[in-house]
Amino acid sequence: MKNIVLIGYMGAGKSTVGIQLSDRFQIAFEDTDQVIEKRQNMEISEIFEKYGEESFRTMETELLAQMAERKGRRVIALGGGTPMRFENRERIKSLGTVIYLRAKPGTIMERLSGDTSRPLLRGGGARQKIEEMLKERGPVYESLSDLIVDTDGKAFENIVDEIGGFYEAACNKRTEP
Ligand code: S3P
């Protein structure tokens, strides 16, 4: 049985959905941003300020490599930019069942309103930044995913049910003779 790997843009709901999935399947939840923050003893925005984005991306790549070595299964929420490094992509696929939580720019704006923790969306023009990044990132997220879940206007509970059903079916398929 493999991990459940959640990918998608900032504000897509990866952490909320991830925690609920971990409850449902009674497996641990891990959020790569949180692991990196704990290791560095700094918030993501401070890491960006102090070391720059590239260093943060390298921390993500190193963490992915470590996750690939581990046994057991978990729900893993990846940072929105992790799939954008080419070298991370095979590793993401090999980690488990990859679920893309897709959200439209309007939904993302709503979910992130008042949030100041995302350095890439600081400094104004958030809507345009989101639209431009989604154009680049959307096809990559899609290409890596085993399941795409459109999250706009959906309750998290329903999203969790959809993913849970898909994951159970995927696990049963694997164990069939
Ligand atoms: C980023 C997403 C963030 C965090 C960092 C950069 C991105 O994670 O890793 O701010 O490039 O999309 P979330 O997707 O969990 O917000």
Side-chain angles (χ1 to χ4, degrees):
M1 298 263 267
K2 299 281 227 111
N3 300 303
I4 302 177
V5 185
L6 301 175
I7 62 169
Y9 196 74
M10 295 176 257
K14 294 170 296 213
S15 302
T16 309
V17 169
I19 289 166
Q20 293 186 19
L21 281 168
S22 84
D23 267 1
R24 175 169 174 154
F25 290 107
Q26 293 294 295
I27 54 179
F29 170 68
E30 208 161 45
D31 180 313
T32 55
D33 284 343
Q34 282 174 10
V35 174
I36 291 172
E37 285 183 326
K38 209 165 165 200
R39 284 184 177 177
Q40 298 296 321
N41 198 21
M42 257 185 256
E43 289 180 1
I44 300 291
S45 55
E46 292 177 270
I47 299 174
F48 269 65
E49 270 162 37
K50 189 161 178 202
Y51 302 120
E53 181 175 349
E54 265 318 288
S55 301
F56 171 72
R57 299 300 174 197
T58 300
M59 292 173 197
E60 287 185 308
T61 299
E62 285 168 0
L63 178 54
L64 263 188
Q66 290 157 6
M67 284 176 154
E69 295 299 316
R70 293 180 321 194
K71 294 209 165 60
R73 61 187 185 122
R74 296 172 175 78
V75 182
I76 299 169
L78 296 181
T82 314
M84 299 315 292
R85 257 206 189 181
F86 188 77
E87 65 184 297
N88 293 344
R89 293 183 193 163
E90 269 311 302
R91 204 159 260 154
I92 291 172
K93 288 236 44 110
S94 70
L95 268 183
T97 303
V98 181
I99 315 285
Y100 170 25
L101 297 183
R102 187 158 61 184
K104 296 200 167 109
T107 307
I108 292 167
M109 287 291 289
E110 257 169 49
R111 294 203 187 126
L112 294 182
S113 89
D115 184 300
T116 54
S117 67
R118 268 72 171 202
L120 294 180
L121 296 178
R122 284 185 178 162
R127 170 100 195 189
Q128 199 185 337
K129 286 178 190 163
I130 293 169
E131 281 173 6
E132 280 167 11
M133 287 169 92
L134 275 182
K135 260 190 213 141
E136 190 195 348
R137 291 180 174 196
V140 176
Y141 294 150
E142 282 169 21
S143 73
L144 292 179
S145 58
D146 296 299
L147 175 72
I148 299 173
V149 181
D150 282 309
T151 64
D152 308 284
K154 266 188 208 161
F156 283 120
E157 201 187 317
N158 295 339
I159 297 170
V160 169
D161 280 346
E162 197 174 328
I163 298 171
F166 179 84
Y167 181 62
E168 274 162 7
C171 292
N172 289 338
K173 222 191 229 166
R174 275 196 193 105
T175 54
E176 269 169 20

